[in-house]
Amino acid sequence: MIEATQVATSPEVNKITSPAGLDIFRKELDSKLDPNAPLLIVCCGTGCQAAGSSEVVDKFREVLSGIGWGGKVIPLVKPTGCHGFCSRGPLVIIEPQDLFYQRVTVDDVEDIVNKTILNNEVIRKLQYKPANSKEVIPRASDIPYYAKQTRLVLKNIGKVDPTEINDSIVRGSYSALAKVLTRMSPDQVIDEVANSKLRGRGGAGFPTGLKWESCAKQEGTRYVICNADEGDPGAFMDRSLLEGDPHSVLEGMAICAYAVGSNRGYMYVRAEYPLAVKTLTAAIRQAEALGLLGDNIMGTGFDFKVTISTGAGAFICGESSALMASLEGKVGRPRPKYIRSVEKGFRDCPSNLNNVETYANIPDIITNGGDWYKSFGTERSSGTKVFALTGNVYNIGLVEVPMGISLMEIVYGIGGGIPNKRSLKGVQTGGPSGGCIPIPHKIPDINVGYGKLAEAGSIMGSGGMIVMDEDTCMIEVARYFVNFLVEESCGQCTPCREGLIRMREILNRITQGDGKEGDVELLDEIGNFTNNFSLCGLGTSAANPVLSTIRFFRDEYDAHIRDKKCPAGVCKPLFHYDIEAETCTGCGLCKTKCPVKAITGEKKKTHVIDQSLCIKCMECYKNCKFRSVKIM
Amino acid sequence: MKVLNIVLNGKAVTAKMGQTILELAREHNVFIPTLCDSPALEAAAMCRLCTVQVIEGKWPKFVTACNFPLRRDAEVVTDSPEVRHGRKLIIELLMARCPTSPELQRLAVDYGCDLERFAPLNDDCVVCGLCTRACEAVTGRTLSLAGRGVAIHVDTAFQKASEYCIGCGACVQICPVNKIAMEDVDGERRIILHGKIASRVKLPQCTSCGKHFGPVIDLQQVMERMGEHKIPPPNASVCPECSRRNLAIKLGKRYFEQYGVFEDEEGQANAG
């Protein structure tokens, strides 16, 4: 019986004492790897874990160890970070065939081992079938969802075991750091990053090279801080990076520290990401044990220590000065000072704060050069961006696309289109600070980039992307985000605090059917005031969801206020369902689905809804195959 | 020190490097309304009433005058229509919280506010944070801003009557809308916040006349904050009134007893 070619950290690791030593170590690890060895990659991102992938991993190990292999190589089970295709989880990929299995449960494990692994037989029911198609796509790399992406930042995620540093080293982790420490001066590093035109991935899009340069110019102790306080509803790019490829982020931070002349790093992770904190803690420990972080990195004399600090569930702590206040142990509220944190930030020292994704981009830029990075994306927005695609779209999950890609391509090409025969109404980007882009009706299409999105009244944000179909009420969307901010604002400054209270009040009124003439103008007035007069980034963008929906969906506001109708059928007091006599076939489906028995009618005759009983639960509307149930 | 050339409301003036717009405006008798500003405390820029427009580069931007440091030559407009409109909204919104404040009422007239637009919130505080900042400067332990999101409010720790209050009354004195009260009853000083007792400080009883006075400020705590550890708290067992009278009696005895003018009044002079 031959043991699987496993790259495991032996307990007595030898510290890597020179950059060349890292190369030797990698070659040594690489020579042990057999590219044709069977491998079972199980996605263990938070989404798949929630769907039971940890149990799948355990079951695989149990089943595999219970078989006599008789000289054959035992397949290695490798739990990895998030593959991104969360709506199909738990995912299993079988290498080297690149077989893609979706929605794998514990009960399927024995079948997979007995049929696929032992007899090369494919299990059809676990294979991926695109929406509206009967053909299965067996290989992961052929699935349009993956094939149409450009994965630079996410290249290792789903390939490496994040709990095992050697697995990352084989794939090139820390080689950029070695290059920087041996062959580049701090100025050269900054020049390379500036040349790449990388812009901050946290949302505002500040040029990273410029930020590093101004931080490097400062005197005294400098800090390198990573913002992993990702709080936008529905966004999980940073979490996936930290859970799936923590070493790329740590390496990026170390390179930044070298460039700006710091030797102390902090990682501010939100406490709601326990798996990310766990993975990261283990990653730092392993890197320090190998001498790739900590004191005297790779024997070059460069020190860089990273500490993890967890947030306490405040969205506002994603704002730079609030984050630093929170790091210092103070209340996480933005600092009312007109001074940039690269001059005076954490502990009143120059601090370089970047987003997780920004740091994760750095190693590749160093390895391949800024020109290579610039070849992706557009002139003003270079590189790729990871988006969390969600909402009314077939394929929900993480996608990485080059900047400048058309939004329609993301929704239809990668996302697979809108389910339930509905049509697209708009896409919300940028989370609570962003806006709704009304594609394809009012704006035919838009190329995703910092400038283009801002023109359309939205922002890039950290990468949340919510697809909305025709059944979405835009006033409800605005109300949702305002409600979110009402909870998450720090409440310090008058415009944000009072403005949000009033906007919520007016939006509640409109969705309840009590909207008055002049409400939209008042919303617009308060919104512009809040955006101009507030203290921090949250306040100055708090009204964006309201302002952008007013700009593009004014007719919907008018319908709510003047006609007392919700055209999308969301605001319950403002619509009712009716069955259209001409198209109703009397199939009786709605009658059986109705939970309150409000629908009556004989077979093959038009059914009727009793409005006094109807609770507007949408069951009849969703289930009618002939779309005879109409929103009135 | 570098001198900056500033155009303040169309008038050319000079400013010192790092000077705030509010300081400059006051120097030149330009009125900018403020609610949360106090010269004794660091600016917090919370009320945003002092917002003005500054043009440093191409575009005008809104900044708060109380803490925006002038670092470059710039143009400052303190009373543009946009600024006035924003201030009007701030006052309208704050008046809905706190309609009885004379300060706000006066500003509302100045800015032509329409007080019917927003339904009253019936909160008696404008959340300017002055009391919490003053408290922090004195003891740092009693009042702070609590609550999540827009529900932010001034409160004591865990909404309990605080043990750390020294009864100095700084919060009462600094509140721009006069909504914090202080009263001395039943041998204790009470700070009343949102109609609730926020702290009780025991008042010492005068060993001479028996009246309550004080409070004995916990000097130990104050000294510690100032970095002085060795000074013992003063002996304050007698109220200031008695202390003054007793001293007068003592002096009177010393200088006038020999002339027979002074008569002892039932041993009162001995008490001091």
Side-chain angles (χ1 to χ4, degrees), chain A residues 532-594:
Chain A
N532 281 334
F533 276 64
S534 294
L535 169 74
C536 72
L538 183 136
T540 49
S541 59
N544 282 358
V546 177
L547 293 178
S548 85
T549 47
I550 292 179
R551 179 171 158 196
F552 293 116
F553 300 97
R554 179 67 202 249
D555 48 339
E556 252 179 75
Y557 278 90
D558 288 343
H560 277 73
I561 294 169
R562 286 190 198 137
D563 315 334
K564 305 285 175 209
K565 287 274 170 241
C566 177
V570 174
C571 306
K572 285 195 176 172
L574 296 178
F575 74 95
H576 63 267
Y577 290 114
D578 248 335
I579 297 171
E580 202 177 51
E582 294 87 66
T583 49
C584 178
T585 58
C587 68
L589 186 62
C590 53
K591 198 166 125 183
T592 51
K593 290 279 179 189
C594 181

Side-chain angles (χ1 to χ4, degrees), chain B residues 23-34:
Chain B
E23 281 163 5
L24 182 77
R26 285 183 175 162
E27 240 171 58
H28 294 276
N29 286 326
V30 172
F31 175 69
I32 297 174
T34 56

Side-chain angles (χ1 to χ4, degrees), chain A residues 1-2 38 63-75 113 117-118:
Chain A
M1 192 163 118
I2 303 160
V63 172
L64 289 174
S65 64
I67 298 175
W69 289 89
K72 278 209 268 163
V73 176
I74 307 176
V113 172
I117 295 177
L118 293 176

Side-chain angles (χ1 to χ4, degrees), chain A residues 336 338 488-489 498 525 533, chain B residues 48 67 85 97 117 148-149:
Chain A
Y338 290 98
E488 299 298 343
S489 158
E498 303 297 322
E525 187 185 340
F533 276 64
Chain B
R48 316 298 288 176
N67 68 341
H85 181 252
R97 287 180 85 102
R117 287 217 288 179
R148 192 182 171 92

